[in-house]
């Protein structure tokens, strides 16, 4: 797990983290209208790798691997992994995913 709260760039306000989100009111209104008027049947899904589908990193981030992964790879404790895409826990991952969605719609 990446701990965004420990990200030095974020602590120094060098990373843009704003991403669009819906309010409870707008989400409830959308669901009510789509069910009552449009007769749509809704569903939800949790995509565990959603942030990996975001735009590539703009900065170099090296992360320490969990002990279990180090054991599987046969690597020592000094091994680090370069993140090429945002991942869960990274403070700017929601923004990178939002930017990818926006570019797909244009």
């Amino acid at each position: 797990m990446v701990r965004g709260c420990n990200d030095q760039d974020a602590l120094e306000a060098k990373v843009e983290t704003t991403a669009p989100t819906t309010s409870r009111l707008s989400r409830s209104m959308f669901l009510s209208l789509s069910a009552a008027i449009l007769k749509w049947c809704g569903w939800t899904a949790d995509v565990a790798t959603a942030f990996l589908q975001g735009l590539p990193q703009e900065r170099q981030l090296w992360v320490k691997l969990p002990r279990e992964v180090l054991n599987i790879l046969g690597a020592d404790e000094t091994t680090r992994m370069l993140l090429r895409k945002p991942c869960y826990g990274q403070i700017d991952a929601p923004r990178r995913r939002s930017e990818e969605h926006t570019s797909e719609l244009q």
Side-chain angles (χ1 to χ4, degrees):
M1 174 178 75
V2 174
R3 294 185 183 146
C5 60
N6 295 336
D7 187 334
Q8 193 62 39
D9 290 338
L11 294 172
E12 295 173 5
K14 295 179 181 176
V15 179
E16 184 64 47
T17 60
T18 58
T21 57
T22 59
S23 67
R24 279 188 184 169
L25 177 62
S26 63
R27 187 172 45 249
S28 295
M29 187 171 71
F30 170 77
L31 293 172
S32 295
L33 291 173
S34 36
I37 296 173
L38 300 173
K39 306 293 186 209
W40 289 352
C41 181
W43 55 275
T44 63
D46 183 19
V47 183
T49 59
F51 291 140
L52 293 175
Q53 299 169 28
L55 293 174
Q57 296 285 359
E58 291 182 329
R59 54 197 178 124
Q60 278 199 348
L61 293 177
W62 294 87
V63 294
K64 182 179 175 183
L65 299 171
R67 180 168 288 129
E68 298 81 25
V69 175
L70 292 172
N71 291 338
I72 292 169
L73 296 175
D76 63 42
E77 291 185 14
T78 62
T79 302
R80 300 295 185 262
M81 179 175 65
L82 174 64
L83 293 180
R84 297 193 181 274
K85 293 276 199 148
C87 64
Y88 182 78
Q90 189 179 332
I91 198 158
D92 55 341
R95 181 176 180 84
R96 301 298 293 160
R97 182 63 186 137
S98 171
E99 290 170 346
E100 177 68 13
H101 277 304
T102 302
S103 70
E104 289 172 0
L105 294 173
Q106 295 177 348

